[in-house]
Amino acid sequence: MPDPGEVPGPREGVWARRGVRMVTLVLLAGLGFGGVIAVRSAAPSFSVARAGPDQLAATLRAIGAADRSLAAQEGRLRQVAGVPLLGAPGSGRQGPVAPVAPVAPTSARATPGPDDADEVAVLAGTVPVTGPGLELTIRDPKGSVDASVLLDALQELRDAGAEAIEIAGVRVGVSTYVADHPGLGLVVDGRSITAPYVLRVIGDAHTLDRALRIPGGVLDTVAAREGAQTGVRTFVRMQIRTVRPTPSPRYARPAG
């Protein structure tokens, strides 16, 4: 048995850190499983086939809220485990980060053709896309709209099935972040943007529109900000031509 006053050596310290990480991973897995159970048990009689648009939009919002809550808990657990969090590259601060939506594109199509490579390119934002969708304009003459409003808008649009998004001329991708920057206002992926903020979104236009209009949703959130206003236009066909640069791997190389 070690002396109570003895300082743990390097090996004991390694095992202690591994133990903390193992406990954290178990807790993260538990959170994810708990979220699924909570969503399924919240409305046992709910049926997607019988649900109306309002029910579907409300359900999407509830799932999005649960997702954000779990993401916040995950962040706290990762901090305990010493796992670095995502943030604004090179900013030295932790800004709100818009995570990639885990959906495969169906309406949005890359120009070359709808094969697997094109679908990955659509999600990565490295190709122009076309399809049905909508345009959300947020007017903010008094500067009362902050990064959290745009981040919530991105999240709700993704929850409603958005497959490609452009915000103020910046194509949204896996690593996209939105942050408040002193002196620059709102910043998206390192680029300063000014009002009015225009979000162009490709997906099922009707579903996206209903998701924005649910009580307490994006339109209500913006309306609660002093002087801020919104406008929504739906399109049978629209294009998003801005693209993200194709990343170049620094370390990974094809096997074989």
Side-chain angles (χ1 to χ4, degrees):
M1 179 178 294
D3 187 347
E6 182 180 351
V7 177
R11 178 170 298 179
E12 288 80 359
V14 170
W15 282 108
R17 289 192 295 272
R18 288 181 178 176
V20 171
R21 290 174 181 266
M22 183 62 69
V23 171
T24 302
L25 289 175
V26 172
L27 289 174
L28 288 173
L31 283 173
F33 179 74
V36 173
I37 296 301
V39 170
R40 290 187 176 181
S41 61
S45 60
F46 179 79
S47 170
V48 174
R50 297 193 299 270
D54 291 334
Q55 278 185 293
L56 289 172
T59 301
L60 285 170
R61 180 167 173 79
I63 292 174
D67 176 67
R68 289 189 289 274
S69 176
L70 289 173
Q73 295 180 56
E74 178 188 3
R76 290 192 292 271
L77 288 171
R78 286 183 179 275
Q79 285 181 319
V80 172
V83 179
L85 294 169
L86 290 176
S91 65
R93 58 172 291 176
Q94 178 61 30
V97 177
V100 68
V103 294
T106 53
S107 298
R109 294 300 181 192
T111 303
D115 56 23
D116 292 342
D118 287 337
E119 293 188 350
V120 172
V122 168
L123 289 178
T126 57
V127 293
V129 290
T130 183
L134 60 74
E135 184 177 274
L136 168 64
T137 302
I138 301 177
R139 299 175 182 85
D140 183 29
K142 297 189 176 182
S144 58
V145 173
D146 57 18
S148 66
V149 175
L150 295 186
L151 184 57
D152 285 345
L154 289 175
Q155 189 64 55
E156 289 193 16
L157 289 167
R158 283 168 165 154
D159 291 342
E163 297 171 356
I165 304 175
E166 174 192 273
I167 175 170
V170 180
R171 181 71 175 271
V172 174
V174 176
S175 59
T176 291
Y177 68 90
V178 184
D180 297 301
H181 194 292
L184 295 178
L186 297 185
V187 173
V188 179
D189 287 351
R191 182 186 301 180
S192 178
I193 63 173
T194 58
Y197 309 116
V198 179
L199 287 79
R200 306 184 73 243
V201 189
I202 288 184
D204 184 280
H206 178 72
T207 301
L208 294 171
D209 181 69
R210 296 303 290 265
L212 293 175
R213 298 179 188 278
I214 60 177
V218 174
L219 301 191
D220 285 351
T221 299
V222 174
R225 301 298 178 104
E226 184 180 4
Q229 296 179 331
T230 56
V232 180
R233 294 193 302 164
T234 59
F235 297 86
V236 175
R237 184 180 180 85
M238 64 185 297
Q239 285 188 330
I240 294 180
R241 303 199 63 83
T242 56
V243 298
R244 300 178 66 83
T246 303
S248 299
R250 294 180 58 190
Y251 306 105
R253 294 291 182 269

